[in-house]
Amino acid sequence: MAPTIDTKATAVHHDLPTPDPETPIRPRQPYKLSTLCVAVENPSMKDQYGSSSVPIYQSATFKGVGNEYDYSRSGNPTRSHLEHHIAKISSAARAFAVSSGMAALDVILRLLRPGDEIIAGDDLYGGTNRLLTFIRTHVGVTVHHVDTTNPNAVIPFIHPTKTAMVLLESPTNPLLKIADLALISKEVKERAPNAIVVVDNTMMSPYLQRPLEHGADIVYDSATKYLSGHHDLMAGMITCNRDDLAKQIAFTINSVGNALTPIDCFLLLRGVKTMAVRMDRQQSTSQLVATYLYSLGFKVHYPGLPDHPGREIHQRISDGNGAVLSFETGDKELSEKIVGSTRLWGISVSFGCVNSLISMPCVMSHASIDPATRAARGLPEDLIRLCVGIEDSSDLLDDLEHALIDAGAIALSAQQNKYIRVPPAHAVLNKAVEQLAIGGSNSKGVDQEWFVSAPGKVILFGEHAVVHGVTAIAASVDLRCYGLATPRNDGKLSARFNDIDNFQAEWDIESLPWDASAPLGQTERHPEDLDLQLIEAIQAGPLKELGSDKSQARNAALAFLYLYIKLMNTHRASVHFAVRATLPVGAGLGSSASFSTCAATALLLLSQRITIPSIPPPISADHPHLSHHGRHALERHNAEEANRWAFTAEKILHGNPSGVDNSVAVFGGALTYNRPGFGKTSGMESIQGFGSLRFLLTNSKVPRDTKKLVAGVGLMKLEQPEVVGSILEAIENISAQAKRSLADSSEFGRDSLLRDLSAMIIENHKHLVSLGVSHPSLEMIKETTAAPPYNLSTKLTGAGGGGCAVTLIPDDFSEALMKDLLSELVECGFDPYLTSVGGSGMGILSPYPEHSNTSSKVLLPGQVTPPETPDEAADSPYAGASFRSLFETKSLSELTVWAHSLGKWLYV
């Protein structure tokens, strides 16, 4: 017989039956929750032998036809007892026991469908974050991570039909943030009636908080924690009051077979009996521990402290403060010493056990969340989480105090005759960083003037052939685009692009089409597809006056406004963004990608999605590599985030970009790129060990028609497949050889590398000529540079048909010859640029006073003021010190030298 789903055993009501009073003569008051925790009996399921403990029905099958139980995957008497009991103490109509807390969330998330949207907090358990990332990537569900401690931050993301679920947690793990479950549930129900409000109640348990009483639709707990209390089983509980949801949940559990086993149900029932007495003891000690750490001056996160954010809300919706707290030391290494110095506190993940535990979330329970996301969500790397058990409070405090002493976090003060906190090393510097308002939860990136830059790119080998699967090699060039974001004080947004149709415009920020944009959370990535509704709204609104005669400026402004609206929805900073470039626009050198990178980086800094790493502390004998590792992680996050958003801008500018140009603009150096073909899958790979090379880039100033050139090669391939195929194979071999030479340059020597590259350049150009993509102007450049006394190797780059040619310059090429060559090319009507290839990627001018060439000027917090930076007029929207006027008026020949004279640049 097919298994049936057990519905009768858990189909109970809010006034679930409890053991009757012994005498009906005198009515008794309802049992307190602590009593209900102990009273596990189910009057409708009396044991035939009157056992004091619920029996373990360790059976996979049950005999008979049409009986209540037939197969334990679908229903088991021991599990029914457990589910009845949990429903009773949770104010629930239905309860379901599954194999773990994550299994519970998995069952719940299966209620979603592709295209649905879910709103979740930004301070989540690592496993929750991992599962949400999976469904976003593989199921097609949009996930918005927002600050759920602020209901006003949630409301903009509630869509009347798209929002299918809101996932809340209060207090959160591990920062103990408080969400107003009642208010958010009310707002969700009013704005999206079909949305399901789900609450992870693991941090509180039903003993301290029952979210169903405050409007939640589904509540789940990792029963491994407080419900069990002994860490001797894995379990999860789901409770709800809606029959429609209960039926779907029951169907999923029965289908996938993740219901809790009978033996684990028995152990969990046993644990629940002692939950009240355990948690009362744990809370009492937690309050003592939190107060002790708070008195020492640590930043402590615990709802029981009088100044904990949201404490009044927590007291309204909960019956206690829980037994988890966390605190910050100000130094990750110090935190590691403290954790390692404890004896009674066990170093372990999880919480809710009778034994006290200590951990560092960022390297343990939340390590699966990448460092960039942790930093963006304000999760301190030095955070220590304490999960208080039932040991004697004096022993726990004594062990913690000894750990703090051994780690050097506190010391005995002779004057005060007590232990006091010792400021961590470099605390003064860290404080200065906070005052600069860079990074951290108090960051004010919108008040900072940000100066950024990004290189152009050149394709060294594989042009055109890359379209047909051949590997291309691209590298950064030391001709750069510069972007300057200057704060305004008048509620306006403005932009000036000197080198793009001399564009300049100004808009009222509130008049921008914000309503047309699907909002993104602070740490949320842009979807793969562009927001076409927003693009249309920008074109019909802010850019409606720009005609087709200024198509380049229109496209650049569209990309900038699109990024601004997407990234600045919360801050809406008033800012002026100016762009200059020392690389020629439209010459095939990646000028649009470097523009996109500058715009993305500036706006990411303003929106505080990326931050500047703090100045690394002096390297000590004890920790010689600390600063390097922490700094590298932040720089990598900055680069990856900038690359994602620069690629978004490139989509607006080009429709279907390869991603090569923006990747080079962000990361610098050199990389290989290929589309599927020649037995390879598509992808990009950095060329490690690439050394900088000198090249001469010569702009023919002949416009290119890239689409026509690409189509011509495609037609030629159709008509002469064998001929073109052999050419493409030859170019592939050149690219492969060039990659090996560039990566192994230190092994074969510089002279050998230059000789190999020279030969490959000549050969690659011949093949491109055979494909018909050269141009008389490019051949003239090639002949000029190849003629004596220069004897240099030149090839076209990019699509050809005009644009630029690249010439390899040997290390021993004399300045006199270079001067003559430049003059000859200029006389021919070309624009030559002597540059290096393979250098740094995106750069940010350091905002630290230590890095600024400020002479005697006085620095304001959060400002960098170069010696020649004038103050704006008092009535200017840019009142205060600003680079703006000099940046926009410097000649291109002066721009690079001036920019680098301002101070230290931080490069990827």
Side-chain angles (χ1 to χ4, degrees), residues 678 713-731 767 770-771:
F678 287 87
V713 175
L715 179 61
M716 184 178 177
K717 185 180 179 182
L718 289 174
E719 296 175 345
Q720 306 176 59
E722 293 184 2
V723 173
V724 174
S726 63
I727 295 174
L728 296 179
E729 185 174 355
I731 295 176
H767 292 310
S770 299
L771 292 175

Side-chain angles (χ1 to χ4, degrees), residues 630-668:
R631 189 176 174 86
H632 175 75
L634 282 175
E635 288 178 344
R636 188 69 187 177
H637 158 59
N638 289 344
E640 291 172 347
E641 187 75 354
N643 195 37
R644 283 190 287 267
W645 284 96
F647 184 58
T648 298
E650 283 285 88
K651 286 182 178 181
I652 297 172
L653 294 170
H654 297 296
N656 185 29
S658 67
V660 174
D661 290 13
N662 52 274
S663 294
V664 172
V666 170
F667 295 104

Side-chain angles (χ1 to χ4, degrees), residues 801-817:
C804 279
V806 293
T807 305
L808 178 65
I809 306 298
D811 294 338
D812 58 357
F813 197 74
S814 69
E815 291 186 12
L817 281 177

Side-chain angles (χ1 to χ4, degrees), residues 113-141:
R113 297 292 178 267
D116 285 346
E117 295 187 2
I118 180 172
I119 301 171
D122 58 359
D123 180 26
L124 297 172
Y125 167 56
T128 302
N129 188 82
R130 183 167 54 242
L131 188 54
L132 290 176
T133 300
F134 178 87
I135 69 165
R136 181 187 66 199
T137 305
H138 299 284
V139 184
V141 172

Side-chain angles (χ1 to χ4, degrees), residues 593-610:
S594 56
F595 167 86
S596 297
T597 300
C598 285
T601 304
L603 291 173
L604 287 167
L605 288 164
L606 287 167
S607 65
Q608 302 169 50
R609 281 177 174 253
I610 64 174

